[in-house]
Amino acid sequence: MHRALAAHYLLRYHSPEVTRHVPATAQRNEPGSTPAARFHYDNIISFQADYFIESLKSAEDGRVRFESCQLLWQQMKSQTEQLQEELNKKLFDNLICFLKKSHSDFQDQRNDWNCRVRSSEIPTAALLLGVNVMDHELTFTSLSDVLHEHVTPYVVLLQAKECPGIKPLLQKLLSQLMGCGADLDLDEEDDYASVSQRKMNCTMSSLSGWYQKITKKSSSPKKKRPATLERCQAPQIVVVFKDLESFSSSVLQQFIVISSRYCKELPLVLVFGIATSPMIIHGLLSHSVSSLLCIELFHSLSCTDHLATVVNKLLLSNQFPFKLSGRVLQVLITIFLYHDFSVQNFIKGLQLAVVEHFNSQPLSVLCCDVQDMNQRVKTLSHNQCENIRHLASFMSFVESQTPEAQVKLLTDDRYLKEMAREFLRELHMYHENFIRVLRCLHNFTCVLPKFPLGKQIRELYCACLERNIWDTEDYNSALNLLRMLAKDELVSTLHKCLEVMKPYSGGQLDSALKKLEEFLAQFQRLEGGGTGDNLQNIEDEESTTQKGLQKKTDLYQLQKTLLEMKETRRTKKLSKFESLRLEVVDFLDGLVRDHLTRPEDQPLYEVVYFSAASVLRKHLNAVPRIALHTALHNPSTYLKSLGNDGALSSAAPDICIAYKLHLECGRLINLYDWLEAFTTVVNADDDSGSDSLKQVDEMTHARFIRAVSELELLGFVKPTKQKTDHVARLTWGGC
């Protein structure tokens, strides 16, 4: 996710003076269960806080900002994990039901091994997960936990890169199963699982013998069986192929054919993870092999629906004080739609925005819950008050005040704190009203043809954040369509808006809630005989039309009559329903103009809104070639300990020295000349006065070989057959 991940890694790894960075263990969020683990976790958190504070432009309240950032993200992360569980619940429940029924005869006829399976078909679940491959790992991890808890302890997860042939596949299968068997409570003198893992051949017959041994041990009344085996004495063996499309066709066919011969001894169940289409199964397997499978298809929630739910819970909610500006949200959504469809990457981008906001905005200390807001405003220092006075939104507010109020706001810190507290409270109410009115507007516009304001609420949300929505042509066309909306759709939409307003009654939109209830009551009164006026108007108009057209007249009179009829239709009296419909549309338009104003119009909106879209785009949409060239040509961009002159220096990483030297060469590079130049630069600060004729020491030679190998790995040079002591340069120019 870093804007120059590869270059950043290379420079940090090869630098003679490695700069300070957060260790990998700091990525863990939960403290350990033991006191030593807890102590280690506390040290990691302290190290992260120090690293966070050191990177601040102003270290004042740095630790408070770090703790606020950490607490906020933990709450948002917990919300996303809970949301993920809720979205996968239906899929996992259906899959568990299928797995429990697939080998029910194993439980009914436990003592009759010859009558367990009527055919040689293997129960197979095809999980259609979508093209967001980066999210599949989290889904399979959750699936494995659920299966361990509710179905069987024997769950095997296989990946194509680990199973290039049938033998590695069986080895991986047995090794994972032996690990499951080793957890069972067996006799110490006859630990069949550990012995088998070391000595047995990786074959299906060995697996069958191991399974029978394990199940017999677990069914013994002298043993204390695990909770799963209490419910199921013959637990199934679930084999999950995470990435079915990447598996070799021959490997899959061999495994399925072999497994079908052991259906009477092993309750095998296959789970195929599919990213593209279920037809890939028939593309990988021949008809004779696919006929050995009893396949049932399961669909997961689409990634776009998943994203809509995440946006709805995290961003379209007043639960979290942190907000994204329209451009930042558009950057994240664009990356999602045009790059990977990964919801997890969207969440990581949101996490990056949270960290950047608390790191770059000195007033982010006020981005907190309403309960803590008053205390934090009270403890603001004079420098933080000056930061408030430099905000663009605050300066716009000051310009609209009287001269006396302006002087007081710019000089009196106590008065400024009182106004800041009021601004933040109004900003909180603005978000509540904004979200409710936005949902109401979306309920009206999502039923319109061609969706002028977007089909998803996130599209409407981005549009409202970037500009005043009522100034757009799409909004005006939407209102025109709403003025022609049918009665049943209009009433249904009003009921949805009433449900949106009701949980928040008692605020500024209380009058809007009462108005919606009045509209619904008026529509109910019209249901009895509200269409009689329309019918009478239509009959009168038709009779007038017939009389006008039956008269004998010339072409001029006919044209005049038709124009009069058209004008009459325009100026005809509206029915009660049409008048009421226009009132509803005008009421909605008034709500939008009052409450869907841009966040930039609110004083102190910078405290809670992250709007640095360019910074986020630079981190998430990295250009590898430019990033690598910048890191290799000017390593001081990432290594602050180096000079910023860009000249060749012995303090630079070896790969940077080799890279700069190779830029001075032509298409073919002589390795010996390259080595001499490298040695000259590396030993430039050496007082021994070594010259080019002196033989290169082994350490320098090894460093040079390593640097050239890494340049070859990155694609800058390659071996050539034209000259044995040369390499070919694959790039040209200065970048």
Side-chain angles (χ1 to χ4, degrees):
M1 301 292 290
H2 200 274
R3 60 181 176 181
L5 183 59
H8 193 60
Y9 165 75
L10 289 172
L11 292 180
R12 285 187 178 274
Y13 186 73
H14 296 288
S15 172
E17 299 178 3
V18 180
T19 56
R20 195 175 178 187
H21 63 282
V22 180
T25 54
Q27 298 175 358
R28 301 176 183 175
N29 295 320
E30 292 80 8
S33 57
T34 63
R38 178 65 191 179
F39 177 76
H40 180 63
Y41 176 78
D42 293 338
N43 286 341
I44 291 174
I45 296 300
S46 177
F47 186 78
Q48 288 179 333
D50 295 340
Y51 186 77
F52 183 91
I53 295 172
E54 287 179 2
S55 62
L56 299 177
K57 295 181 180 178
S58 175
E60 188 175 7
D61 288 336
R63 188 165 295 274
V64 177
R65 286 160 62 180
F66 171 77
E67 293 174 354
S68 301
C69 175
Q70 190 180 38
L71 177 61
L72 174 63
W73 179 246
Q74 286 298 329
Q75 294 174 350
M76 299 178 76
K77 181 183 177 182
S78 176
Q79 183 72 23
T80 56
E81 292 174 351
Q82 181 181 357
L83 182 62
Q84 182 75 28
E85 293 178 0
E86 295 175 356
L87 295 178
N88 288 334
K89 186 177 186 303
K90 184 177 180 180
L91 172 66
F92 290 169
D93 289 345
N94 294 336
L95 186 59
I96 289 173
C97 183
F98 167 77
L99 294 177
K100 288 182 177 180
K101 292 180 179 179
S102 59
H103 284 285
S104 58
D105 46 2
F106 264 74
Q107 324 309 329
D108 300 336
Q109 304 178 14
R110 173 64 176 159
N111 299 323
D112 189 0
W113 286 83
N114 296 324
C115 301
R116 287 182 176 176
V117 180
R118 297 179 180 179
S119 65
S120 59
E121 291 184 348
I122 305 175
T124 304
L127 295 182
L128 193 60
L129 300 175
V131 296
N132 50 329
V133 181
M134 297 181 181
D135 298 341
H136 293 180
E137 186 64 31
L138 182 60
T139 302
F140 283 121
T141 302
S142 302
L143 175 62
S144 177
D145 296 338
V146 171
L147 294 181
H148 275 98
E149 182 179 358
H150 298 285
V151 181
T152 175
Y154 307 126
V155 181
V156 180
L157 301 177
L158 300 178
Q159 284 185 302
K161 63 181 181 181
E162 300 172 345
C163 307
I166 185 63
K167 185 175 180 180
L169 189 149
L170 292 176
Q171 289 176 346
K172 194 71 177 177
L173 174 65
L174 267 69
S175 64
Q176 291 193 32
L177 287 177
M178 297 308 174
C180 297
D183 295 335
L184 298 177
D185 190 9
L186 303 178
D187 292 334
E188 295 181 1
E189 67 275 5
D190 189 19
D191 191 355
Y192 188 82
S194 60
V195 174
S196 302
Q197 192 172 359
R198 292 194 303 266
K199 296 181 179 180
M200 80 161 50
N201 295 325
C202 295
T203 60
M204 293 299 290
S205 60
S206 303
L207 176 61
S208 177
W210 171 84
Y211 181 79
Q212 295 183 29
K213 189 78 172 180
I214 289 295
T215 52
K216 287 181 180 179
K217 289 284 185 180
S218 62
S219 61
S220 175
K222 298 180 181 180
K223 303 294 179 181
K224 183 180 179 181
R225 295 171 291 181
T228 305
L229 295 181
E230 284 287 344
R231 301 188 302 269
C232 177
Q233 295 182 359
Q236 303 165 11
I237 299 176
V238 181
V239 183
V240 181
F241 295 85
K242 290 184 175 181
D243 45 352
L244 183 69
E245 291 91 345
S246 301
F247 275 87
S248 172
S249 175
S250 60
V251 174
L252 281 175
Q253 294 189 92
Q254 293 177 36
F255 176 75
I256 293 172
V257 170
I258 295 173
S259 301
S260 64
R261 298 174 183 174
Y262 288 87
C263 284
K264 295 183 179 181
E265 290 82 15
L266 293 172
L268 280 174
V269 180
L270 305 183
V271 178
F272 290 160
I274 302 174
T276 53
S277 170
M279 296 304 296
I280 192 65
I281 298 177
H282 302 287
L284 292 172
L285 306 177
S286 62
H287 176 71
S288 59
V289 176
S290 60
S291 61
L292 300 176
L293 303 177
C294 180
I295 303 175
E296 187 167 339
L297 187 62
F298 297 88
H299 290 271
S300 67
L301 186 70
S302 66
C303 53
T304 53
D305 293 339
H306 190 180
L307 176 67
T309 310
V310 170
V311 172
N312 186 35
K313 294 294 184 180
L314 295 185
L315 301 181
L316 294 178
S317 171
N318 217 24
Q319 180 181 358
F320 306 108
F322 176 76
K323 303 294 179 182
L324 297 179
S325 68
R327 292 185 178 180
V328 172
L329 181 58
Q330 194 61 49
V331 168
L332 295 177
I333 293 176
T334 301
I335 294 175
F336 172 84
L337 294 177
Y338 294 99
H339 287 79
D340 50 19
F341 284 103
S342 174
V343 179
Q344 297 304 316
N345 284 351
F346 179 88
I347 295 174
K348 290 179 181 178
L350 180 60
Q351 180 184 9
L352 177 61
V354 172
V355 176
E356 284 286 343
H357 176 70
F358 280 90
N359 185 264
S360 60
Q361 176 56 259
L363 294 173
S364 58
V365 67
L366 300 178
C367 183
C368 58
D369 295 333
V370 182
Q371 296 80 2
D372 303 330
M373 181 184 63
N374 293 333
Q375 181 62 29
R376 294 196 179 185
V377 171
K378 185 178 179 180
T379 58
L380 288 178
S381 64
H382 176 71
N383 292 334
Q384 290 170 325
C385 291
E386 289 299 321
N387 290 331
I388 293 178
R389 295 185 176 103
H390 285 86
L391 294 179
S393 60
F394 181 80
M395 292 303 298
S396 300
F397 173 79
V398 171
E399 291 174 358
S400 63
Q401 301 300 305
T402 60
E404 294 80 6
Q406 291 180 359
V407 172
K408 203 171 183 181
L409 286 170
L410 296 176
T411 57
D412 190 349
D413 288 350
R414 181 177 298 178
Y415 180 71
L416 176 65
K417 292 179 182 180
E418 294 177 359
M419 293 301 299
R421 189 180 296 110
E422 185 67 24
F423 290 152
L424 293 175
R425 191 179 297 110
E426 291 178 357
L427 189 61
H428 179 76
M429 294 301 301
Y430 162 78
H431 287 146
E432 284 192 355
N433 300 334
F434 184 94
I435 293 170
R436 282 185 280 170
V437 175
L438 181 75
R439 294 186 187 279
C440 290
L441 179 60
H442 175 68
N443 288 332
F444 275 99
T445 57
C446 67
V447 298
L448 298 178
K450 297 184 179 180
F451 308 104
L453 292 180
K455 186 176 181 180
Q456 302 285 345
I457 191 173
R458 54 179 168 78
E459 302 175 51
L460 179 60
Y461 183 51
C462 290
C464 292
L465 290 177
E466 293 181 0
R467 67 187 72 87
N468 291 328
I469 191 66
W470 56 84
D471 293 334
T472 61
E473 295 182 1
D474 294 335
Y475 177 79
N476 295 326
S477 62
L479 289 186
N480 292 332
L481 292 174
L482 287 175
R483 294 186 179 99
M484 298 182 290
L485 199 62
K487 181 180 178 181
D488 54 347
E489 292 181 342
L490 185 59
V491 173
S492 175
T493 305
L494 286 175
H495 278 291
K496 294 179 182 178
C497 294
L498 191 63
E499 293 177 359
V500 172
M501 294 289 189
K502 270 188 175 180
Y504 304 94
S505 59
Q508 296 181 359
L509 293 179
D510 194 25
S511 59
L513 177 63
K514 296 179 180 178
K515 192 66 176 178
L516 286 175
E517 294 175 347
E518 292 179 5
F519 282 139
L520 287 173
Q522 293 180 20
F523 277 115
Q524 289 178 358
R525 288 194 294 267
L526 286 177
E527 289 182 356
T531 58
D533 295 339
N534 286 339
L535 294 176
Q536 184 65 33
N537 291 340
I538 294 174
E539 291 177 358
D540 295 342
E541 183 179 351
E542 289 181 351
S543 61
T544 305
T545 303
Q546 293 294 333
K547 291 179 181 179
L549 293 177
Q550 287 176 0
K551 294 180 180 180
K552 292 183 179 180
T553 181
D554 54 6
L555 183 61
Y556 174 76
Q557 291 296 331
L558 178 61
Q559 184 179 8
K560 183 178 179 181
T561 303
L562 292 175
L563 289 175
E564 291 176 355
M565 290 167 51
K566 185 176 181 181
E567 188 66 24
T568 303
R569 289 180 180 178
R570 289 180 179 177
T571 59
K572 71 174 182 177
K573 184 179 179 180
L574 297 177
S575 65
K576 293 182 179 179
F577 167 71
E578 292 173 338
S579 301
L580 189 57
R581 180 172 59 186
L582 291 179
E583 290 183 21
V584 172
V585 175
D586 293 340
F587 166 74
L588 177 64
D589 184 40
L591 279 180
V592 170
R593 293 176 182 271
D594 290 339
H595 300 287
L596 290 189
T597 56
R598 298 184 309 155
E600 287 81 356
D601 298 335
Q602 305 297 320
L604 270 63
Y605 82 96
E606 296 95 339
V607 172
V608 297
Y609 276 87
F610 177 71
S611 56
S614 59
V615 175
L616 198 65
R617 189 183 295 110
K618 186 185 299 182
H619 283 287
L620 299 180
N621 271 351
V623 182
R625 184 185 175 206
I626 296 178
L628 285 174
H629 172 74
T630 303
L632 296 175
H633 189 269
N634 190 13
S636 61
T637 305
Y638 302 100
L639 300 179
K640 304 302 181 183
S641 59
L642 299 178
N644 199 20
D645 54 357
L648 276 173
S649 172
S650 59
D654 295 340
I655 189 174
C656 298
I657 298 174
Y659 176 79
K660 289 186 177 182
L661 293 174
H662 111 285
L663 292 178
E664 302 174 359
C665 303
R667 191 179 66 86
L668 294 179
I669 305 175
N670 188 303
L671 285 172
Y672 184 75
D673 296 340
W674 197 3
L675 173 60
E676 284 191 337
F678 179 84
T679 306
T680 302
V681 176
V682 169
N683 298 329
D685 298 335
D686 193 359
D687 297 334
S688 61
S690 59
D691 52 10
S692 61
L693 298 178
K694 185 177 180 180
Q695 187 169 353
V696 180
D697 60 282
E698 295 181 356
M699 180 60 69
T700 305
H701 197 182
R703 291 168 60 184
F704 173 75
I705 293 175
R706 181 179 183 180
V708 174
S709 300
E710 288 167 349
L711 288 178
E712 181 182 357
L713 178 64
L714 293 175
F716 290 102
V717 295
K718 73 171 184 178
T720 177
K721 294 183 180 179
Q722 296 181 9
K723 294 182 179 181
T724 57
D725 57 344
H726 285 63
V727 292
R729 180 179 173 184
L730 299 177
T731 59
W732 60 92
C735 62

